[in-house]
Amino acid sequence: MGDHICPWWLAYTFDNPFRRIFHNPEKMLGSYVSKGMTVLDVGCGMGFFSIGLARLVGDMGCVLATDVQPKMLGVMQKRSEKVGVSSIIRLHRSETNNLGVDTPVDFVLAFWMVHEVPDLKLFFHQIRACLKTEGKILIVEPKFHVSSKRFQETVVLAQASGLNFCETPSIKFSRSAVFKNDSS
């Protein structure tokens, strides 16, 4: 969402089948996502997590996969078609500083992308606006790129937006936090 967005071609270095060894979407997200939910994958990239989320929500659910880069969404579309979950995933191109999602969602995943957002206050305001009451957001940032101090600043901004901290799940190579929207 900012000027320092990971180029689409670099995503191939970490968005590949070997990643499932460390970041298995179904195992990592299965305690937050269930059949029939509507979920939002912000900064979905090439669809690594969107496809796993689609399997978790099933045919009665919906995954809103959003990214600012058309190339990412194009690759994501092809991958979702190849594995048979494209009917569950709705692609959306966001703009810088405008998520552009008004569909109420049960769960939001922001994996390795929050550090690219230029205006975190606005970002969390937009996330909270589409997150249902009792809905959760999982924020995950790469340890090799985001310092502990910077991640704590992100946590503070999330809380200042009205999201309530729940837990810190252990995710390989990452700093993470789960928040809940306790009020509408």
Side-chain angles (χ1 to χ4, degrees):
M1 294 177 84
D3 292 334
H4 51 289
I5 295 172
C6 177
W8 68 269
W9 51 267
L10 187 59
Y12 283 108
T13 62
F14 55 84
D15 194 351
N16 58 63
F18 297 110
R19 187 176 186 187
R20 288 185 69 82
I21 296 167
F22 305 106
H23 296 147
N24 182 308
E26 291 88 343
K27 287 181 182 177
M28 281 179 38
L29 305 173
S31 63
Y32 305 110
V33 177
S34 58
K35 298 278 184 211
M37 282 185 159
T38 299
V39 301
L40 173 61
D41 185 3
V42 182
C44 67
M46 297 180 174
F48 182 81
F49 287 102
S50 296
I51 289 169
L53 287 165
R55 291 178 178 132
L56 289 169
V57 301
D59 291 337
M60 300 304 288
C62 178
V63 175
L64 304 170
T66 183
D67 205 290
V68 296
Q69 299 183 71
K71 287 242 185 208
M72 294 282 202
L73 294 171
V75 172
M76 215 289 273
Q77 179 66 39
K78 289 176 185 167
R79 286 182 171 183
S80 68
E81 288 171 356
K82 185 176 179 179
V83 297
V85 296
S86 62
S87 64
I88 300 168
I89 299 173
R90 209 168 77 202
L91 300 177
H92 174 75
R93 182 165 180 240
S94 292
E95 297 175 13
T96 302
N97 284 329
N98 185 7
L99 190 57
V101 174
D102 56 9
T103 302
V105 298
D106 300 291
F107 178 78
V108 176
L109 176 64
F111 201 99
W112 287 10
M113 58 73 56
V114 172
H115 62 276
E116 297 179 351
V117 175
D119 186 341
L120 282 178
K121 285 183 182 180
L122 179 60
F123 174 76
F124 286 123
H125 172 76
Q126 291 176 4
I127 291 294
R128 188 156 181 252
C130 68
L131 195 59
K132 294 178 183 177
T133 300
E134 301 298 314
K136 291 183 178 179
I137 176 173
L138 170 59
I139 299 169
V140 184
E141 289 286 82
K143 279 186 177 178
F144 55 85
H145 193 65
V146 176
S147 69
S148 179
K149 180 182 177 198
R150 188 165 174 202
F151 187 74
Q152 286 308 311
E153 291 168 356
T154 300
V155 168
V156 168
L157 286 171
Q159 290 174 308
S161 77
L163 295 169
N164 295 313
F165 175 80
C166 295
E167 64 180 321
T168 304
S170 177
I171 298 174
K172 292 270 190 197
F173 313 117
S174 305
R175 304 181 196 288
S176 62
V178 176
F179 299 88
K180 187 192 309 186
N181 186 20
D182 284 330
S183 61
S184 51

